[in-house]
Amino acid sequence: MARGCLFASFLSLLHSYAKDSASAVLQESNHTSELETSSLLSEKPKLLIPTPEFFPRGDGTRSKRECNTKTKRVAKLMQQNSKKMTVPCQPAVEVESYVPLAQEEVQHWVPGLTTGDKKMITSGGWLSDEIVDAGQKLLKSMYPHIQGLQEVALGMVLSYSIAKSEFIQIMNTGKHHFWVTVSNINCNDEEIHVYDCASGSPTSSLLNQIASIVCTPKDIIKLTYFDVQMQQGCDDCGLFAIVFATSLARGEQPGSFFYQQKAMRKHLVDCLEKQNITAFPIQKIRRHGSKIPNNHIQSGLCEM
């Protein structure tokens, strides 16, 4: 009986010790949890999507579009990855500081052109395809019996409609000097005249374009460069091409005149706005333009 009482006392003491140990472990766990919570609250928050400031450009400037594009790209990659990517918060960024300077509003000006094209003409820039095409379309409407005067882009892919009678066509040479005027007016069947204000030599691109528009029963085309007024500077080849085309359409010989180069741009603007191309200002009459040594190219044969 004494042994039974001793065993009961031992069990009671063991149960008390286990209870006290469990209580101590629980208290320590709660204390650790409180410390971790306090530590997390004191840390800076983290973002899953980077702010635009995270993607600076090398030159120190950023556009709003660039930042937004990179942010969306990273966000998409993050969604594809199994692990989430965190990036420290950056200081608040003013959206207005990323808005690019407002560009000049572009509005319709004349058929096929905008106010931006007008500025290109008046500011002394090279004439674009659209401006050259607008000049040709206007000439075509005033002189419908003359073939050619097609969009210049067709020449770059050799897709001109073949001219079976007199034609005028402004062509892109494919070099830094862009524009020349090509015509068969006052030519023999196998001859083509080129009017070039920079006195350049024909490029392979130009020769192919001429062969693609000419209709002749001859196997060989004789290419003749006419002696015409040379441009001052290097930005007015498109202007001179339109001037030469206008002179030919009016039945004149472009090599017979010195044009007022400084007045050409204003005159072109006036013609486009009035939708009526008139003779460009002439400075003086010159001797008849002489012919420059010929080149021969293989023609594109067609049925007459």
Side-chain angles (χ1 to χ4, degrees), residues 7-61:
F7 182 74
S9 298
F10 175 78
L11 290 178
S12 177
L13 180 61
L14 182 61
H15 176 73
S16 177
Y17 176 80
K19 184 176 180 181
D20 291 341
S21 297
S23 178
V25 170
L26 181 60
Q27 290 179 2
E28 182 177 358
S29 176
N30 291 339
H31 180 67
T32 301
S33 178
E34 290 177 359
L35 290 177
E36 291 179 352
T37 302
S38 176
S39 175
L40 289 175
L41 291 176
S42 64
E43 290 181 358
K44 293 182 178 180
K46 298 179 184 264
L47 295 180
L48 294 180
I49 299 178
T51 63
E53 192 71 20
F54 184 67
F55 299 102
R57 287 171 54 181
D59 57 3
T61 61

Side-chain angles (χ1 to χ4, degrees), residues 173-185:
T173 67
K175 293 177 62 177
H176 61 280
H177 165 61
F178 285 128
W179 307 112
V180 297
T181 303
V182 176
S183 178
N184 65 348
I185 294 178

Side-chain angles (χ1 to χ4, degrees), residues 112-155:
L113 298 177
T114 68
T115 52
D117 296 312
K118 180 179 180 180
K119 185 175 181 180
M120 184 181 296
I121 298 174
T122 58
S123 64
W126 286 5
L127 299 195
S128 64
D129 294 15
E130 291 78 10
I131 297 173
V132 173
D133 285 341
Q136 291 195 116
K137 288 178 182 178
L138 191 50
L139 284 172
K140 186 68 174 179
S141 67
M142 297 176 62
Y143 304 95
H145 64 283
I146 298 178
Q147 296 191 8
L149 299 173
Q150 303 172 52
E151 293 184 7
V152 295
L154 295 175

